[in-house]
Amino acid sequence: MKVLVIGKGGRESAVVWKLAQSSVDFEIYTAPGNPFTARYGRNVPIPENDVASLINFALDTGINLILPGGETSIALGIADEGERRGIPVLAPRRDAARLEASKIWAKSFAKKHRIPTADFEVFTEDEFEEAVEYVKGQRFPVVIKADGLAGGKGVVIARNVGEAINTLDQFMNRAKFGEASKRVVIERFLTGDEVSVFAVSDGYRWGIFAYAKDYKRLYDGGRGPNTGGMGAISPVNLDPQTQDLIEENVVRRTFEGLAKEGLRYKGFLYFGLMLTENGPFVLEYNVRLGDPETQAILPLMDYDFGRMVIGAASGNLNTDDLKPFNRYACCIVAASEGYPDNPKVGYPIEGLEEAEEMADAVFLAGVSLENGRFITSGGRVLSVVGTGKTLEEARERAYRAVERISFRGMHYRRDIGANVKGG
Ligand code: AMP
Ligand code: GLY
């Protein structure tokens, strides 16, 4: 079975690693991949946004399944293109990918289908003045979100009118994220614990397979700017009532809402939730797996991920397989100096082998191989994962291993898996 994984980050490293452990005999290709994915198959130098070349490569090579990691190729319609040309892709079509690609679409969808989400207003290109008037009448903070994809940077929590107007100006008038930020959602600020919920669907059946927590802020204690994610843990233990509310009011209503709209959803669906005193609210949808949550989740899975993926892609998902995890995982991301804005790269990485012996896995991300040496090449360089019977055990294992690794400017949070308000 030939599979093409799309992406080059820690998430894709974890996906490839897990596929290689499957009872299915996969021949793995990764586009463009990284030095870790190369250990398990072949890297193909095609960027994520070149959907035509990805599909052509898949046809020429006889690929049986395409597995996109990030949102780029999904939002560009790789599932539609795969369908048109007869290659199964485990991802939603472009119209359903609007759950992630357009916050306006996602919020309107949630409202229509009675899925709890923060109250909001939408402002389009020529409504800057109206948006300013609106924020003047709000209690602060308010949350301002660019409509389109902005690499995780399109959400601003404005603490006062001045910050709100400045953000609106940046987004709408100065097109900080191009077309993506000309239209905005302004929504109520919610408080509570955040949790990431992962579901998979084959277009007919769906199932939740993991609960995780992402540590989004750059610094310990949930301080500093938002990042793509500095670490993650899984599972997150919720009381049965909360779990029930998530399953019924959020996840079920979402899949049923999609079906009602004629958007048969195939692929992974990741719900970013806030657990408020009024129950779980959707903050965001992502039409893919999370990074770094995937690095924590996959080492815990003791059913066959390869079979799950094939089942979902072929309309034969067996949801009974999706058993809760009976161990814990802690994933620590090691980042370059200057991440997330201006990562400084190009430094050799020491201690990898030792760390790999001590951890469950060390998933490479922003790393290149030059003359046989691993060199940093991106903001999030690698993630170290430990598992254990308790979260504490998992944490200790991950931290002991990450301490063995060093590169110039390396930094990581010391509180992944600790009880941090706000993440
Ligand atoms: P999003 O990309 O929409 O998930 O937003 C990124 C982060 O911003 C979330 O993980 C939250 O930490 C925060 N956030 C988004 N929306 C809200 C909200 N309505 N209230 C409070 N925090 C929010
Ligand atoms: N961990 C956040 C994301 O994958 O979007």
Side-chain angles (χ1 to χ4, degrees):
M1 171 107 187
K2 292 186 182 180
V3 58
L4 173 63
V5 176
I6 300 175
K8 59 177 181 182
R11 169 183 46 212
E12 290 74 31
S13 289
V15 164
V16 164
W17 173 84
K18 197 68 179 178
L19 289 176
Q21 294 167 23
S22 172
S23 64
V24 180
D25 188 15
F26 285 110
E27 193 177 316
I28 302 171
Y29 296 80
T30 313
N34 63 40
F36 184 94
T37 63
R39 290 183 201 163
Y40 297 92
R42 212 180 103 199
N43 286 347
V44 186
I46 305 174
E48 283 178 76
N49 62 4
D50 189 353
V51 170
S53 299
L54 290 165
I55 294 280
N56 285 336
F57 170 80
L59 279 171
D60 292 346
T61 314
I63 295 289
N64 308 101
L65 172 63
I66 298 180
L67 205 57
E71 65 279 11
T72 305
S73 68
I74 303 176
L76 288 170
I78 193 162
D80 310 63
E81 202 50 24
E83 198 165 306
R84 203 168 65 77
R85 304 192 50 195
I87 302 179
V89 179
L90 185 57
R93 296 191 199 116
R94 193 207 296 252
D95 50 12
R98 283 178 295 178
L99 278 179
E100 177 167 358
S102 167
K103 301 257 186 213
I104 296 175
W105 194 85
K107 293 290 290 187
S108 311
F109 170 86
K111 189 172 172 186
K112 182 168 167 195
H113 296 285
R114 298 185 307 116
I115 298 154
T117 192
D119 287 337
F120 68 100
E121 288 292 331
V122 169
F123 296 92
T124 56
E125 284 84 344
D126 42 16
E127 293 177 329
F128 174 71
E129 298 301 333
E130 288 85 341
V132 168
E133 280 314 304
Y134 177 79
V135 290
K136 282 182 183 165
Q138 295 303 301
R139 261 189 296 138
F140 283 84
V142 295
V143 184
I144 302 176
K145 299 185 174 184
D147 177 46
L149 297 175
K153 293 181 185 153
V155 174
V156 171
I157 294 169
R159 283 167 301 183
N160 53 52
V161 184
E163 278 183 18
I165 295 177
N166 183 35
T167 302
L168 290 170
D169 183 49
Q170 293 282 333
F171 278 21
M172 301 180 81
N173 297 336
R174 296 172 205 276
K176 184 168 181 193
F177 300 107
E179 285 300 315
S181 68
K182 287 188 178 164
R183 306 194 298 163
V184 299
V185 169
I186 304 181
E187 71 178 37
R188 282 270 283 280
F189 178 76
L190 302 172
T191 53
D193 285 332
E194 283 186 48
V195 60
S196 306
V197 179
F198 291 89
V200 61
S201 176
D202 65 1
Y204 304 94
R205 282 158 293 231
W206 55 267
I208 295 172
F209 63 94
Y211 292 86
K213 178 179 166 72
D214 177 17
Y215 292 73
K216 283 199 167 75
R217 301 298 195 100
L218 187 59
Y219 303 125
D220 285 10
R223 291 173 302 109
N226 260 315
T227 69
M230 293 296 291
I233 56 164
S234 184
V236 173
N237 294 323
L238 302 170
D239 60 82
Q241 195 202 349
T242 303
Q243 217 159 313
D244 200 52
L245 287 171
I246 292 174
E247 179 157 345
E248 295 306 317
N249 293 357
V250 179
V251 180
R252 183 181 301 283
R253 287 183 192 175
T254 297
F255 282 111
E256 290 183 355
L258 286 163
K260 278 185 203 148
E261 309 249 343
L263 304 172
R264 207 161 51 74
Y265 192 99
K266 194 194 271 189
F268 295 108
L269 185 53
Y270 151 4
F271 302 75
L273 305 183
M274 185 76 87
L275 305 177
T276 75
E277 51 184 32
N278 298 316
F281 277 55
V282 174
L283 296 178
E284 65 167 339
Y285 290 106
N286 294 305
V287 297
R288 52 174 173 80
L289 292 170
D291 186 344
E293 293 97 322
T294 302
Q295 293 92 301
I297 290 169
L298 293 185
L300 296 173
M301 222 178 240
D302 50 19
Y303 46 90
D304 195 324
F305 177 65
R307 294 202 179 275
M308 166 187 174
V309 160
I310 293 172
S314 60
N316 287 307
L317 179 69
N318 187 353
T319 54
D320 293 339
D321 285 346
L322 311 179
K323 298 272 188 318
F325 305 137
N326 53 22
R327 291 169 65 79
Y328 290 83
C330 176
C331 163
I332 303 158
V333 171
S336 295
E337 182 185 345
Y339 175 74
D341 289 333
N342 276 310
K344 285 198 186 154
V345 302
Y347 304 121
I349 306 170
E350 313 292 345
L352 272 178
E353 268 177 35
E354 221 179 318
E356 282 189 312
E357 270 166 33
M358 298 171 72
D360 287 69
V362 177
F363 296 120
L364 303 184
V367 175
S368 60
L369 195 55
E370 288 169 29
N371 304 322
R373 296 189 78 185
F374 291 114
I375 309 286
T376 63
S377 66
R380 289 192 290 181
V381 174
L382 52 86
S383 37
V384 177
V385 184
T387 69
K389 281 200 278 307
T390 63
L391 181 57
E392 199 44 46
E393 233 180 84
R395 265 197 90 192
E396 277 175 22
R397 195 166 151 82
Y399 274 103
R400 270 204 301 270
V402 74
E403 279 159 17
R404 299 299 157 131
I405 299 175
S406 63
F407 54 85
R408 193 192 294 180
M410 164 173 163
H411 62 97
Y412 56 90
R413 281 180 58 165
R414 314 272 160 174
D415 61 351
I416 307 301
N419 196 6
V420 183
K421 269 277 163 231

